[in-house]
Amino acid sequence: MTALETAAEPREIHRLDYRPPTFWVDSVALEFDLGEEGTVVTARLSLRRNDEVAEGPLELDGEELETLSVAVDGRVLGQGEYTIEGERLTIPDLPARCELETKVRIHPESNTQLSGLYLSSGNFCTQCEAEGFRRITWFLDRPDVMATYTVAIRADKQRYPVLLSNGNRVGERDLGDGRHEVRWEDPFVKPSYLFALVAGQLASHAGDFTTVSGRTVRCEIWVEAHNLDKCDHALRSLQAAMRWDEEQFGREYDLDLYMIVAVDDFNMGAMENKGLNIFNSKFVLARPDTATDDDYEGVEGVVAHEYFHNWTGNRVTCRDWFQLTLKEGLTVFRDQRFSADMGSEPVKRIEDVAMLRLRQYAEDAGPMAHPIRPESYISMDNFYTATVYEKGSEVIRMVDTLLGRDGFRRGMDLYFERHDGQAVTCDDFRAAMADANGRDLAQFERWYTQAGTPRLVATGRFDAAAGTYSLTLRQECPTGQREEDFRALHMPIRMGLIGPDGADQPLGFEGEAAAGAPTERVLELTEREQTFVFAGLTAEPVPSLARGLSAPVLLELEEDEQRLAFRLAHDSDAFNRWDAGQRLFGAAILAGAAALARGDEFQVSKGLVEAFRAVVTDPSLDGSMRSLAMALPSELELAQRMEIVDPDALHRARRAVRRALAEGTRTELAALWERAKPSGAYSNDRASIDRRREANVALAYLSCLESPEWTAAVAAHFDGADNMTDSQAALATLCQLDVPDRQRALEAFYAKWKGDPLVLDKWFTLQATSVLPGAPTRVAALAHHPDFTWRNPNRVRSVVGAFAMANHSGFHSADGSGYTLVADAVIELQGANPQLASRLAGSFNHYKRYDQHRQQAMRGALERIAAVDGLSKDVYEIVHRALA
Ligand code: B3K
Ligand code: ZN
């Protein structure tokens, strides 16, 4: 028998098995006696039988609870009156209405999973989504059970002066024995996953927000006192998000208090608990000398995302976890739009699509492919995926495109009107959108049921005599999915036709009056294949399709280097300009990799260098756009397009293209650096951010020349930096160069920042992502550094995560040592922190796409993980899907 067959099989949950609960919980009263060695939780639930379900016992979820007592309506139940089996407490005979009181002891002090109640930097905090509340008390731990909560927290006054929970603070008293109690009340019904508690030594940076109806909301950012000077950006971001949601969606905040707490040990980015968000400190703390411009944008985006959940997620929540994209896809869409409004729309769109293609398209093409509304799971935590979030957002974006901005708003209004205070489904959302606009969105449901990235094959034919251009668009089954399961999707394709002069042509359909025709249209596809004929054209146009990536598809259109360079120079859609460049550079690198794999030489074409030069010098591009347009597609992204991935050839080809572009345009790059390099003191206005971006990308290219002159310039840039953006960029560049300045700069950076965990994470990441030879050995050494710990997820991700996900050539080192290292990490972590371990285990998901030798090595790594005794269900699910 193989290890696979002996491993105990965890239970799989199916979407179609949804059953309503036998009881509702109307209100919950919780009492916490927080202690250093064990915490006692008393829960009083007002239960009401669900009339829709004829009969059935009460079944509560619980995990790692020591049950001290169970009482109904004040009477303690005897042994025979209830059963506890595994993670379930069952009480067979209960009146239709009653009060259930349970008392349990839990151990936050030894909770390393960071789910439920745990300690971070000596402070208590919680994480309950998806199923962490059951690790705190017995409960109907499912999102369709919504209740009001009152909470009393008791703890030592010295050690835990600050005691927080959801809602409003309604009382405080001294308990006399060195302990105190604070009481909280949340008037809004919520599911258990939104419960939160924080206790510890914290200080707050606060400000006010006046809502559109004139109410004053107090906004508090809670951190360890030494971080108080890094909170202002988070506070301002919160206030901006509150205003934006009022203006764009008419959504006002509903409590008088909004709190954000930053904790260092957190499995993901942040959590939208009602009135008491808990954040990974990475998405709160920012000061110019510790956080980059990108970090600032990250804080703004995540603060906004969690705030937007107050309406899309909290006031209207999910009926069951299969509906997760109902709140996540929608909220990502809202935060993306917010960030676009705060900064640059095309830049934001490019960043989002780049991430979508890198992470989500890859997920869609591998063993974890699932529809945005999955059909089954073993561990829900494994389904907080790029597909549910980012593709989910793309699906909402298509609704917005199909209905128009006003129509979308009408749909949102109806959605809130119908479902405020309810736990609902993706179908309910779609129905609100359709009904508010008198539209049929039945076919659109297929985006919720079909997995994979559809291919859209485009062909165009110009008829010079007739002056027509026929565009045929054909939807093809996604790679890895079964042809018989694929049905045509309803998708909007935004497009234009570019004339020889570079201008968009009027798009008159054949048989229509050409006069006044728009120069851009949204074609609505509903069939496998459709042809659109445009008339009145005097010369063959160049099509620009799926502008702004108007549908999450893989667009396949034959375009040679000349045509791509033309679109890179002329496409009126900023996104498609960038995309043309990515296709152009990507094709060159892939052709180079193929040549190198055959043992041939390859040359970068003159045309490619000229196209690049145009980007470097184009006066119409702002610095952010220029830096995006100059960036070559990553090895990880290009690997997705290779038949059999050859990491070495790919790496060498990309390097060669980079160097050839730098050599061919060194004069222009140097001029760009001269123009944009730091001058005067740091400022964080948009123009300064743009300049920093283009300066740093120019310098990074120049460093490829490996000349003493430019290496010295990078070192000087590092030494002179007065902000983290420049400091990190310079150090990142040095980390890819085999020069003495690299070690010197790393030591200086460490000496300066060793006391700041978030900055130290950067120091680890820059080394873990260095592609210099010997990467696995260096990364193994980093994991033995005195500042490394397996207990802090940010630190683990900064070393092992960064290596596995962002150092393609290092992770895939031919000797397999990269795989061994990551598999060892998964095994090390899987018991203590299954969620973190399972994310890392996903690094092997694409092993089948590599050469035989690497495939075998990765398969071996997966099998070694699968053979671990008592493997956590999170890791089990990932590994078994990959091996299947
Ligand atoms: N809703 C949380 C994610 C919870 C993840 C649970 N494993 C953060 C967010 O999406 O806003
Ligand atoms: Zn979210």
Side-chain angles (χ1 to χ4, degrees):
M1 249 204 277
T2 70
L4 291 185
E5 287 159 355
T6 52
E9 266 186 48
R11 198 163 68 95
E12 186 157 26
I13 322 276
H14 294 268
R15 179 172 74 87
L16 296 176
D17 288 346
Y18 172 82
R19 299 285 177 278
T22 52
F23 282 84
W24 298 113
V25 183
D26 289 324
S27 62
V28 185
L30 296 171
E31 290 174 26
F32 288 85
D33 286 287
L34 301 175
E36 309 282 297
E37 282 162 43
T39 286
V40 174
V41 184
T42 309
R44 268 187 298 281
L45 319 184
S46 301
L47 295 170
R48 173 169 50 91
R49 186 170 274 285
N50 181 357
D51 300 330
E52 291 164 40
V53 181
E55 52 194 19
L58 173 73
E59 293 186 322
L60 303 175
D61 307 294
E63 207 181 287
E64 294 182 26
L65 306 174
E66 181 193 340
T67 305
L68 304 176
S69 67
V70 179
V72 174
D73 291 329
R75 188 179 68 82
V76 176
L77 298 191
Q79 290 280 310
E81 294 179 276
Y82 66 93
T83 56
I84 295 178
E85 271 168 32
E87 300 179 344
R88 183 134 287 187
L89 188 159
T90 307
I91 311 181
D93 304 305
L94 280 178
R97 275 173 194 273
C98 59
E99 187 184 85
L100 174 74
E101 184 188 285
T102 63
K103 211 182 262 297
V104 300
R105 184 176 291 114
I106 56 177
H107 292 279
E109 69 280 5
S110 56
N111 178 357
T112 56
Q113 296 191 17
L114 314 188
S115 163
L117 181 63
Y118 66 95
L119 286 166
S120 176
S121 316
N123 295 327
F124 285 93
C125 63
T126 52
Q127 172 54 37
C128 293
E129 187 176 0
E131 298 181 333
F133 192 70
R134 64 187 61 185
R135 297 169 55 77
I136 295 176
T137 191
W138 289 109
F139 204 72
L140 283 143
D141 192 14
R142 41 187 291 166
D144 55 352
V145 172
M146 298 175 84
T148 56
Y149 285 64
T150 58
V151 180
I153 312 169
R154 295 187 279 272
D156 183 273
K157 206 169 174 166
Q158 297 287 315
R159 304 244 325 130
Y160 310 103
V162 175
L163 304 175
L164 309 175
S165 191
N166 318 81
N168 302 312
R169 197 173 189 274
V170 292
E172 169 172 24
R173 60 187 177 122
D174 202 306
L175 298 172
D177 51 355
R179 291 169 75 79
H180 67 146
E181 178 191 84
V182 175
R183 306 183 76 86
W184 291 84
E185 198 172 283
D186 182 356
F188 292 94
V189 292
K190 65 167 175 285
S192 52
Y193 81 85
L194 290 174
F195 168 79
L197 176 153
V198 170
Q201 284 172 3
L202 296 162
S204 78
H205 175 75
D208 280 347
F209 176 80
T210 308
T211 70
V212 62
S213 70
R215 280 188 312 107
T216 304
V217 177
R218 188 171 162 79
C219 304
E220 297 175 343
I221 316 288
W222 290 91
V223 296
E224 290 172 58
H226 65 270
N227 283 325
L228 272 176
D229 60 347
K230 296 181 189 147
C231 298
D232 201 48
H233 180 61
L235 178 63
R236 284 172 198 278
S237 302
L238 173 61
Q239 291 162 331
M242 292 175 119
R243 186 63 73 222
W244 187 89
D245 214 14
E246 292 182 345
E247 289 171 359
Q248 296 298 316
F249 287 102
R251 296 295 122 197
E252 187 177 342
Y253 185 59
D254 47 12
L255 288 163
D256 300 331
L257 179 61
Y258 193 97
M259 296 174 283
I260 291 176
V261 182
V263 302
D264 286 343
D265 306 286
F266 208 62
N267 274 342
M268 36 337 133
M271 180 63 212
E272 69 263 25
N273 317 300
K274 182 78 185 189
L276 178 58
N277 290 183
I278 298 180
F279 270 57
N280 186 328
S281 52
K282 178 176 164 60
F283 293 108
V284 176
L285 306 179
R287 209 175 55 194
D289 60 333
T290 63
T292 64
D293 296 333
D294 290 345
D295 293 332
Y296 269 72
E297 287 180 2
V299 169
E300 181 181 74
V302 176
V303 166
H305 177 97
E306 305 313 329
Y307 175 69
F308 297 151
H309 268 315
N310 190 56
W311 277 97
T312 49
N314 301 4
R315 290 285 291 251
V316 184
T317 195
C318 302
R319 186 194 68 175
D320 55 75
W321 288 121
F322 295 102
Q323 317 297 328
L324 182 62
T325 198
L326 171 75
K327 74 176 176 85
E328 294 305 346
L330 179 54
T331 304
V332 170
F333 173 71
R334 277 150 54 69
D335 86 54
Q336 290 178 345
R337 259 183 62 184
F338 166 78
S339 293
D341 285 355
M342 295 297 114
S344 152
E345 210 226 279
V347 167
K348 177 65 180 155
R349 186 62 188 144
I350 289 169
E351 290 168 352
D352 291 341
V353 173
M355 189 52 79
L356 181 82
R357 286 180 178 160
L358 187 64
R359 301 283 170 213
Q360 199 281 321
Y361 282 21
E363 188 165 88
D364 254 348
M368 268 298 283
H370 55 276
I372 63 169
R373 185 183 64 193
E375 293 298 337
S376 70
Y377 61 76
I378 289 175
S379 168
M380 186 54 211
D381 287 321
N382 283 333
F383 285 82
Y384 287 74
T385 56
T387 299
V388 167
Y389 275 66
E390 273 74 33
K391 185 175 180 180
S393 168
E394 295 302 317
V395 169
I396 302 295
R397 181 178 296 271
M398 286 190 285
V399 176
D400 181 62
T401 306
L402 289 168
L403 301 180
R405 190 68 18 125
D406 294 345
F408 188 78
R409 170 67 195 268
R410 274 195 297 280
M412 288 293 279
D413 289 348
L414 183 61
Y415 174 65
F416 293 125
E417 193 185 309
R418 282 181 178 171
H419 301 301
D420 188 11
Q422 298 176 4
V424 302
T425 65
C426 299
D427 293 334
D428 293 319
F429 177 81
R430 213 160 30 83
M433 285 289 154
D435 295 351
N437 291 281
R439 287 282 298 252
D440 181 356
L441 292 176
Q443 185 180 354
F444 195 80
E445 187 190 8
R446 292 177 190 166
W447 284 107
Y448 289 83
T449 59
Q450 296 185 172
T453 310
R455 293 182 297 126
L456 188 66
V457 182
T459 44
R461 205 167 43 81
F462 179 63
D463 182 335
T468 58
Y469 183 78
S470 311
L471 176 67
T472 299
L473 298 172
R474 185 169 167 76
Q475 301 185 28
E476 296 286 5
C477 177
T479 311
Q481 299 299 314
R482 296 188 313 183
E483 179 65 43
E484 61 267 36
D485 294 338
F486 181 70
R487 297 170 72 200
L489 292 150
H490 183 181
M491 61 172 84
I493 298 299
R494 198 141 57 82
M495 51 81 63
L497 295 177
I498 312 171
D501 59 349
D504 280 343
Q505 303 297 294
L507 301 175
F509 283 127
E510 197 178 32
E512 278 179 17
T519 54
E520 185 171 273
R521 282 188 186 270
V522 176
L523 308 176
E524 257 186 57
L525 305 193
T526 52
E527 286 158 41
R528 283 295 294 264
E529 184 173 305
Q530 279 165 273
T531 297
F532 302 85
V533 184
F534 302 96
L537 295 156
T538 50
E540 173 158 16
V542 170
S544 166
L545 304 176
R547 285 181 162 173
L549 195 76
S550 60
V553 297
L554 270 167
L555 175 67
E556 294 177 10
L557 171 68
E558 290 272 342
E559 288 179 294
D560 60 13
E561 185 177 290
Q562 219 183 342
R563 184 172 273 211
L564 286 168
F566 176 80
R567 283 210 299 113
L568 173 59
H570 297 294
D571 204 314
S572 67
D573 183 71
F575 172 85
N576 270 21
R577 277 191 77 176
W578 168 81
D579 184 57
Q582 294 297 294
R583 285 169 192 261
L584 184 63
F585 301 135
I589 297 169
L590 289 173
L596 290 175
R598 287 191 307 268
D600 293 346
E601 293 283 300
F602 87 100
Q603 288 273 303
V604 170
S605 76
K606 247 182 95 64
L608 195 76
V609 176
E610 289 319 311
F612 185 74
R613 193 190 321 281
V615 172
V616 178
T617 56
D618 184 341
S620 77
L621 293 176
D622 67 48
S624 290
M625 206 50 139
R626 189 186 322 282
S627 67
L628 288 169
M630 286 169 68
L632 301 182
S634 68
E635 286 166 37
L636 194 59
E637 196 197 325
L638 292 169
Q640 294 182 33
R641 303 189 348 225
M642 292 173 91
E643 194 86 48
I644 298 170
V645 187
D646 179 338
D648 299 325
L650 178 58
H651 178 69
R652 279 159 56 216
R654 188 174 180 280
R655 240 182 127 79
V657 169
R658 219 171 133 69
R659 181 161 186 152
L661 294 177
E663 273 164 1
T665 65
R666 61 196 307 161
T667 315
E668 291 82 1
L669 286 169
L672 175 56
W673 164 251
E674 268 313 307
R675 174 169 67 69
K677 73 182 183 191
S679 66
Y682 167 89
S683 158
N684 71 349
D685 58 277
R686 193 119 298 280
S688 305
I689 294 170
D690 282 346
R691 271 184 57 169
R692 276 194 286 279
R693 290 202 169 128
E694 58 187 350
N696 283 316
V697 72
L699 191 57
Y701 268 102
L702 288 162
S703 78
C704 304
L705 300 172
E706 292 178 77
S707 71
E709 177 200 353
W710 285 112
T711 302
V714 181
H717 187 42
F718 176 79
D719 294 333
D722 66 350
N723 64 85
M724 185 48 72
T725 304
D726 288 335
S727 179
Q728 177 182 294
L731 188 57
T733 301
L734 286 173
C735 277
Q736 308 297 350
L737 298 173
D738 193 9
V739 295
D741 273 321
R742 175 173 51 107
Q743 204 46 41
R744 178 187 68 78
L746 280 169
E747 279 163 20
F749 193 93
Y750 178 78
K752 185 164 177 192
W753 295 114
K754 58 177 184 294
D756 187 316
L758 292 174
V759 184
L760 201 55
D761 287 339
K762 297 176 184 299
W763 182 82
F764 276 106
T765 296
L766 293 177
Q767 297 177 74
T769 51
S770 168
V771 299
L772 293 176
T777 315
R778 272 199 317 279
V779 174
L782 289 174
H784 284 102
H785 190 278
D787 288 301
F788 182 82
T789 163
W790 293 106
R791 289 291 164 263
N792 177 262
N794 285 357
R795 189 58 45 88
V796 172
R797 282 187 286 253
S798 75
V799 176
V800 188
F803 174 65
M805 322 268 177
N807 190 344
H808 191 258
S809 61
F811 177 53
H812 294 286
S813 294
D815 64 1
S817 54
Y819 307 146
T820 305
L821 191 156
V822 175
D824 288 348
V826 173
I827 291 167
E828 167 78 35
L829 278 168
Q830 72 86 26
N833 189 338
Q835 287 188 40
L836 181 59
S838 103
R839 291 282 153 157
L840 294 178
S843 315
F844 298 109
N845 275 349
H846 296 283
Y847 71 97
K848 287 180 183 148
R849 314 226 26 257
Y850 289 77
D851 56 81
Q852 274 303 319
H853 176 69
R854 286 185 173 86
Q855 256 191 53
Q856 251 162 33
M858 280 189 265
R859 216 188 142 84
L862 283 166
E863 282 167 349
R864 193 152 65 83
I865 298 169
V868 167
D869 238 5
L871 191 63
S872 77
K873 66 174 184 172
D874 301 63
V875 175
Y876 174 99
E877 182 168 36
I878 299 298
V879 167
H880 281 252
R881 267 183 178 250
L883 287 172

